[in-house]
């Protein structure tokens, strides 16, 4: 049992917590990451207290100068974080007291660690969103550049991982541009909803001091102060929404990573990752392993796990604050770090991968990928109902399969034996190039559509 009670709340206690209690209670090991946000909101709070006449201008000046000194120490890595002060808030306040003396004790007037941490955390998540948005847009630029380069490169499109219809590689990459655009939108929406300032809510009920909460909110870049003090200190839906958006982003990255893993195999051979994003084997000298893609794929599980962890922490908590909520930060910190790393890795791989255009085009013609084009030709030219055309095409595919040849390698007579109305014009639609060029519907895979989509994504008309 510790013999010394905490200077934070020790007036109520005769002696301090046990060593085990200190270990489970302390959070400075991870919430030290909030130092910049904590000092920023303390400065805004101090300025407001002085404006409202709650503390003297002299004390405010001393506090603001001391906070700047603490910030400099932390940034210069000369600050000593101490577990005896539990968290970032009390570590900063304790050092402030060492630097400026009694005025430091006035800083915590009209606030609680409950509204303080909620404010810090919102500021941190907001900054994390801004960083991720920058990375998402940068990765979109990489994808757009490669899509433009390969707007006319033909590859097989798959459903059920079976050859379906020919598409262009540019079109395939543009699918991820669209996904990332929605990911960015989710983060932007989350940012908008979290941008209300909890500071001034105090522990849970507000305060009797004449605060100007709108001033503090404005100083910290929030749209407005929170409207309900209980809600302000007790909910972490902004963190959950961040993790939910992050989980969807991680899933999108995992899907692309999976495709890179497949495409780099000898069986596909569609792309080759550079040495910068490949590793070797300790026993097999020929190996080039796409480890960066595989690890990016794995990271989705960590981000989704972080979302689940915080959902479970929050699910049974009555209003207002409970200490369970101290476990809200580590999942968010880890998810943000993971997402930033994955976006950097995925962007690097896509930017410098080598595309095997010939291999893609050869694969695009395999597996009777133009069968749908044949069915569509029967509908357009012979006015055949699609279901009948589907049946006729299936019989022609079966014949080609039995002969071990492609649809375009069948003779006209062989096709006419199945459907007499077929003419030599049918061969115009049986090549993969003609197939992709014909897909001109809005959002389709035709090269002209891909280039139009790229232009629109870049902000063109």
């Amino acid at each position: 049992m510790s013999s010394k009670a905490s200077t934070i709340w020790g007036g109520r206690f005769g002696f301090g917590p046990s060593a085990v209690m200190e270990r489970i209670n302390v959070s400075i090991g991870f919430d030290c990451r909030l130092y910049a946000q904590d000092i920023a909101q303390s400065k805004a709070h101090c300025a407001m207290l002085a404006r409202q006449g709650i503390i003297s201008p002299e004390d405010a000046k001393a506090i603001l100068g001391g906070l700047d000194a603490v910030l400099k120490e932390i940034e210069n890595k000369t600050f000593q974080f101490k577990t005896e002060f539990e968290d970032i808030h009390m570590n900063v306040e304790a050092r402030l007291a060492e630097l400026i003396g009694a005025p430091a004790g006035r800083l915590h007037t009209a606030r609680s660690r409950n509204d303080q941490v909620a404010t810090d955390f919102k500021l941190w998540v907001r900054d994390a969103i801004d960083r991720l948005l920058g990375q998402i847009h940068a990765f979109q630029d990489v994808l757009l550049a490669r899509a433009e380069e390969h707007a006319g490169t033909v590859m097989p499109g798959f459903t059920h991982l079976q050859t379906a219809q020919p598409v262009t590689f540019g079109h395939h990459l543009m699918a991820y541009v669209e996904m990332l655009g929605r990911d960015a939108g989710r983060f932007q929406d989350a940012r908008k909803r979290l941008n209300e300032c909890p500071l001034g809510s105090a522990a849970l009920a507000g305060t009797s001091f004449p605060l100007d909460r709108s001033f503090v909110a404005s100083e910290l870049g929030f749209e407005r102060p929170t409207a309900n003090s209980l809600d302000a200190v007790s909910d972490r839906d902004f963190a959950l929404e961040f993790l939910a958006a992050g989980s969807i982003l991680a899933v999108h990255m995992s899907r692309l990573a999976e495709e890179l893993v497949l495409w780099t195999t000898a069986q596909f051979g569609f792309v080759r990752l550079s040495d910068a994003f490949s590793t070797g084997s300790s026993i097999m000298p020929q190996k080039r392993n796409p480890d960066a893609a595989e690890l990016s794929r794995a990271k989705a599980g960590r981000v989704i796990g972080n979302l689940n962890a915080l959902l479970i922490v929050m699910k049974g908590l009555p209003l207002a604050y409970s200490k369970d909520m101290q476990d809200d930060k580590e999942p968010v910190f880890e998810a943000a770090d993971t997402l930033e790393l994955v976006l950097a890795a995925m962007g690097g791989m896509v930017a410098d991968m080598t595309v095997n255009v010939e291999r893609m085009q050869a694969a695009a013609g395999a597996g009777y990928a133009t069968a749908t084009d044949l069915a569509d030709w029967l509908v357009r030219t012979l006015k055949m109902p699609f279901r009948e055309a589907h049946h006729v095409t299936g019989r022609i595919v079966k014949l080609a399969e039995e002969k071990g040849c492609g649809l375009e390698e069948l003779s006209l007579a062989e096709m006419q034996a199945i459907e007499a109305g077929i003419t030599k014009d049918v061969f115009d639609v049986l090549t993969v190039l003609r197939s992709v060029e014909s897909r001109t519907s809005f959002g389709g895979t035709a090269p002209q559509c891909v280039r139009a989509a790229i232009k629109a994504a870049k902000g063109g008309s």
Side-chain angles (χ1 to χ4, degrees):
M1 190 73 69
S2 174
S3 61
K4 184 179 179 182
S6 171
T7 56
I8 304 169
W9 37 258
R12 171 67 176 81
F13 293 81
F15 50 82
S18 70
V20 172
M21 179 60 196
E22 286 184 345
R23 285 177 57 199
I24 198 171
N25 191 51
V26 70
S27 62
I28 190 59
F30 54 84
D31 69 16
C32 58
R33 293 182 64 159
L34 299 173
Y35 76 87
Q37 292 78 18
D38 192 69
I39 290 173
Q41 61 90 2
S42 287
K43 291 174 70 174
H45 183 66
C46 175
M48 181 274 297
L49 293 176
R51 277 169 56 96
Q52 297 300 104
I54 298 171
I55 65 173
S56 70
E58 294 75 20
D59 283 346
K61 182 178 179 180
I63 291 169
L64 293 173
L67 288 170
D68 284 336
V70 172
L71 178 61
K72 187 174 182 180
E73 287 182 358
I74 297 175
E75 290 177 340
N76 291 339
K77 302 190 186 319
T78 60
F79 186 94
Q80 184 180 359
F81 293 105
K82 299 178 180 179
T83 57
E84 65 191 85
F85 296 124
E86 296 183 12
D87 55 34
I88 185 60
H89 324 297
M90 298 314 304
N91 267 267
V92 169
E93 187 174 322
R95 180 57 179 153
L96 183 64
E98 291 174 354
L99 291 173
I100 68 171
R106 302 190 186 281
L107 175 59
H108 207 55
T109 304
R111 75 176 183 185
S112 162
R113 281 191 293 174
N114 292 357
D115 61 342
Q116 191 176 356
V117 70
T119 303
D120 289 359
F121 199 17
K122 278 194 170 185
L123 289 170
W124 195 95
V125 171
R126 194 176 69 184
D127 290 342
I129 287 174
D130 291 343
R131 290 193 302 272
L132 284 170
L133 285 172
Q135 283 193 281
I136 289 170
H137 295 319
F139 189 28
Q140 285 181 303
D141 289 342
V142 170
L143 290 166
L144 286 167
R146 298 313 305 261
E148 193 164 29
E149 180 185 350
H150 292 285
T153 298
V154 179
M155 68 174 292
F158 300 95
T159 62
H160 307 277
L161 206 55
Q162 304 293 314
T163 300
Q165 293 177 265
V167 298
T168 55
F169 188 43
H171 189 59
H172 194 110
L173 294 177
M174 286 300 292
Y176 286 100
V177 173
E178 293 295 321
M179 293 180 213
L180 285 166
R182 293 191 297 274
D183 290 325
R186 276 182 281 270
F187 280 117
Q188 288 162 346
D189 288 345
R191 191 189 194 283
K192 186 182 300 182
R193 269 184 289 277
L194 73 77
N195 210 26
E196 297 180 348
C197 183
L199 205 61
S201 299
L204 74 162
T207 177
S208 59
F209 288 95
L211 305 184
D212 186 346
R213 294 190 62 209
S214 294
F215 170 81
V216 174
S218 177
E219 287 290 289
L220 294 173
F222 288 108
E223 288 294 321
R224 62 187 69 83
T226 51
N228 184 284
S229 60
L230 285 167
D231 173 57
V233 301
S234 67
D235 206 352
R236 293 295 186 267
D237 56 355
F238 65 92
L240 290 168
E241 193 167 6
F242 173 83
L243 290 171
S247 294
I248 298 172
L249 169 60
V251 167
H252 287 155
M253 293 300 92
S254 180
R255 297 183 73 182
L256 178 54
E258 166 69 4
E259 293 193 312
L260 291 176
V261 171
L262 289 172
W263 292 343
T264 56
T265 62
Q267 290 75 18
F268 275 80
F270 289 176
V271 303
R272 179 184 174 90
L273 298 181
S274 73
D275 290 354
F277 291 97
S278 302
T279 64
S281 165
S282 64
I283 189 173
M284 296 169 285
Q286 83 281 8
K287 293 292 293 299
R288 288 178 60 85
N289 298 326
D291 282 4
E294 292 172 2
L295 289 166
S296 295
R297 181 177 60 186
K299 300 298 185 187
R302 297 178 69 93
V303 178
I304 294 166
N306 287 321
L307 170 60
N308 286 334
L310 187 53
L311 283 167
I312 294 167
V313 166
M314 296 300 299
K315 71 172 183 61
L317 300 186
L319 298 183
Y321 182 85
S322 295
K323 194 71 169 186
D324 310 52
M325 292 164 66
Q326 183 167 286
D327 275 6
D328 58 357
K329 296 165 202 68
E330 288 178 289
V332 173
F333 292 163
E334 184 187 34
D337 292 345
T338 299
L339 291 167
E340 289 181 32
L341 179 59
V342 167
L343 283 166
M346 295 298 294
M349 282 185 283
V350 172
D352 68 357
M353 69 184 181
T354 302
V355 179
N356 190 331
V357 175
E358 293 76 17
R359 186 68 175 264
M360 280 189 173
Q361 182 163 330
Y368 310 105
T370 58
T372 304
D373 299 275
L374 172 56
D376 289 346
W377 185 89
L378 293 171
V379 171
R380 283 195 308 270
T381 307
L382 304 186
K383 309 304 179 186
M384 189 178 291
F386 181 79
R387 287 301 172 202
E388 182 180 347
H390 187 287
H391 181 73
V392 169
T393 300
R395 292 177 61 195
I396 293 173
V397 168
K398 183 179 180 182
L399 175 63
E401 198 171 41
E402 290 171 349
K403 292 176 64 66
C405 66
L407 293 177
E408 72 281 4
E409 296 173 307
L410 291 172
S411 69
L412 178 60
E414 286 172 323
M415 285 191 275
Q416 286 177 333
I418 295 173
E419 171 48 56
I422 294 177
T423 69
K424 63 182 176 60
D425 293 340
V426 75
F427 292 100
D428 290 340
V429 304
L430 296 182
T431 67
V432 293
L433 291 176
R434 288 289 182 89
S435 176
V436 296
E437 287 171 355
S438 71
R439 306 293 169 181
T440 56
S441 58
F442 181 78
T445 192
Q448 67 188 69
C449 295
V450 174
R451 293 187 180 99
I454 293 168
K455 183 178 180 181
K458 288 182 175 180
S461 57

